[in-house]
Amino acid sequence: MIKTVEWTNEGVRMLDQRLLPTEEKYLMLRSYEEIADAIKKMVVRGAPAIGISAAMGLALGASQSVGTSVADLEYDFKFICKVMEATRPTAVNLFWAIERMRGALQKAKTETHDVEEIKQRLISEAQAIFNEDIASNRALGKFGGELIADGATVLTHCNAGALATAGDYGTALGVVRGAIDAGKRVAVIADETRPFLQGSRLTAWELAKDNIPVTVITDNMAGHVMKQGKVDCVVVGADRIAANGDTANKIGTYMVAVLARQHNIPFYVAAPISTVDLATASGEQIPIEERNAKEVTHIRDQQLTPDGVAVRNFAFDVTPNELIAAIITDRGVARPPYTESLRSLATTRSAHAP
Ligand code: MRU
């Protein structure tokens, strides 16, 4: 199993995704500051993996607090929450995981005044978030796998696989793995996903490692391959799903959804229920991260655009709910109208809830 992020006795171990596919290097992060920096710089990325990393960052930071009272520990914890919240704005899993850690601290506080015991409980909560992510992706992979026909070719955008989660299945790629584990033959077309190249670098890497057939195309080839009849369905992940089903995902996802509609190809979103943000009514309220222009003007140190030219680097876009055939979650498959189906799934207690 690919270990994207892992709690160890020495610190948090992370696969440096910036170096893939040419180098498989693990970093040992020994402070919450290093973890926050790793999230910002995309050493780790993908909505669920960002949430897990933030939770581990909070657990690590709290465990290193030198405060001797519960009040001291809480003061430090609140400060670390602020640092984590400021890393990346779009993926709601980050805020969801921080909220869960806050809840764990509050609960622990009512049960004990032993600072060391509370620190231990925070570590256990971060580990529980990690373990539940693996279970969630297995569950959504099973639900989603049923929507994939034997012999299908699935187009995906960005990386919503093991690398974007705790490891193992992933979300969109969890659906592919779920179908394969159910005995179906499935091939994947991976959009390259400019500018950070999560498709060509990461999706292709993890699928090739698992011997799942994968073909990489540049983003502007998607329409052509759909027109040629080479795509049976599209499955993508999500960074935040609003209450009405509008879905923020990697920049370019909206373009793929419009193309899928034009060619009558079902467009599916796969995400754990923690990605559904019922507090956000529609996609218009989802904050869209804009990253450093250098990710567009350069590939590693190779300059691609003239000096001084204006550049925008939006990291995400929003696909309107009417383009989405179904939203595959760990609690089942939501169909339109999403305002009802998502609320009903999100408010159902999960089989693996704490
Ligand atoms: O900028 P990134 O690489 O963190 O963006 C990741 C995506 O957009 C993924 O598709 C999404 O987080 C789903 S990951 C299971």
Side-chain angles (χ1 to χ4, degrees):
M1 173 176 137
I2 295 164
K3 292 251 171 93
T4 309
V5 48
E6 192 185 4
W7 181 269
T8 77
N9 289 336
E10 271 179 78
V12 175
R13 189 171 176 263
M14 265 183 202
L15 175 57
D16 188 344
Q17 299 194 28
R18 297 167 305 176
L19 305 178
L20 290 172
T22 47
E23 228 185 301
E24 194 174 330
K25 186 177 159 193
Y26 290 83
L27 304 177
M28 185 60 76
L29 308 178
R30 293 187 164 83
S31 68
Y32 76 84
E33 290 98 330
E34 283 182 3
I35 294 173
D37 199 48
I39 296 172
K40 266 191 200 150
K41 293 188 173 143
M42 291 171 72
V43 168
V44 65
R45 30 68 49 203
I50 292 171
I52 294 161
S53 303
M56 289 186 178
L58 279 165
L60 184 65
S63 71
Q64 292 170 344
S65 165
V66 292
T68 48
S69 68
V70 175
D72 290 341
L73 178 65
E74 198 170 10
Y75 182 88
D76 289 345
F77 181 86
K78 281 185 178 161
F79 180 80
I80 304 166
C81 286
K82 291 239 167 324
V83 173
M84 290 300 165
E85 279 165 357
T87 52
R88 297 192 71 191
T90 304
V92 78
N93 308 60
L94 172 78
F95 304 94
W96 170 88
I98 295 170
E99 207 40 53
R100 248 192 75 168
M101 293 297 285
R102 267 197 200 105
L105 175 64
Q106 289 315 312
K107 184 165 184 284
K109 241 178 61 177
T110 61
E111 292 167 1
T112 176
H113 296 297
D114 180 344
V115 172
E116 292 312 310
E117 166 67 20
I118 297 176
K119 290 178 179 177
Q120 209 45 55
R121 297 232 197 145
L122 289 171
I123 295 171
S124 300
E125 188 71 9
Q127 284 169 325
I129 291 173
F130 173 95
N131 290 326
E132 285 168 30
D133 182 66
I134 292 174
S136 294
N137 294 334
R138 284 271 165 170
L140 79 78
K142 207 160 184 289
F143 288 125
E146 288 167 14
L147 302 177
I148 310 294
D150 184 26
T153 297
V154 175
L155 184 139
T156 192
H157 191 75
C158 192
N159 171 265
L163 289 167
T165 58
D168 189 46
Y169 248 40
T171 57
L173 298 188
V175 170
V176 169
R177 290 187 169 105
I180 291 172
D181 287 349
K184 296 172 187 172
R185 292 157 303 140
V186 183
V188 174
I189 295 179
D191 282 350
E192 176 186 43
T193 318
R194 276 275 290 152
F196 207 68
L197 307 178
Q198 289 94 330
S200 58
R201 294 190 306 106
L202 309 179
T203 295
W205 181 78
E206 65 165 88
L207 291 180
K209 230 175 152 58
D210 274 359
N211 294 315
I212 297 172
V214 57
T215 304
V216 174
I217 59 169
T218 61
D219 301 328
N220 50 0
M221 294 178 189
H224 181 68
V225 295
M226 285 185 189
K227 201 169 179 199
Q228 285 185 324
K230 295 200 190 310
V231 178
D232 296 299
C233 66
V234 176
V235 187
V236 297
D239 288 83
R240 190 186 296 232
I241 302 171
N244 70 348
D246 289 352
T247 295
N249 192 49
K250 181 51 52 193
I251 193 73
T253 302
Y254 172 43
M255 215 162 65
V256 176
V258 171
L259 284 169
R261 170 58 55 89
Q262 170 70 14
H263 296 93
N264 283 317
I265 296 168
F267 180 94
Y268 300 120
V269 170
I273 210 75
S274 51
T275 306
V276 176
D277 179 11
L278 293 182
T280 297
S282 78
E284 271 164 51
Q285 290 98 47
I286 299 177
I288 299 295
E289 177 182 13
E290 191 164 357
R291 294 184 60 84
N292 196 307
K294 198 163 178 222
E295 289 176 358
V296 173
T297 59
H298 290 68
I299 290 188
R300 303 233 155 105
D301 287 328
Q302 180 67 50
Q303 186 171 338
L304 305 172
T305 52
D307 285 332
V309 73
V311 170
R312 300 298 300 265
N313 184 14
F314 301 105
F316 301 97
D317 58 27
V318 174
T319 298
N321 58 33
E322 63 267 21
L323 296 179
I324 302 170
I327 299 177
I328 304 157
T329 78
D330 47 330
R331 296 192 192 169
V333 177
R335 298 274 184 184
Y338 293 114
T339 308
E340 282 140 51
S341 57
L342 286 176
R343 181 166 296 276
S344 146
L345 286 179
T347 50
T348 309
R349 211 176 136 79
S350 148
H352 41 260

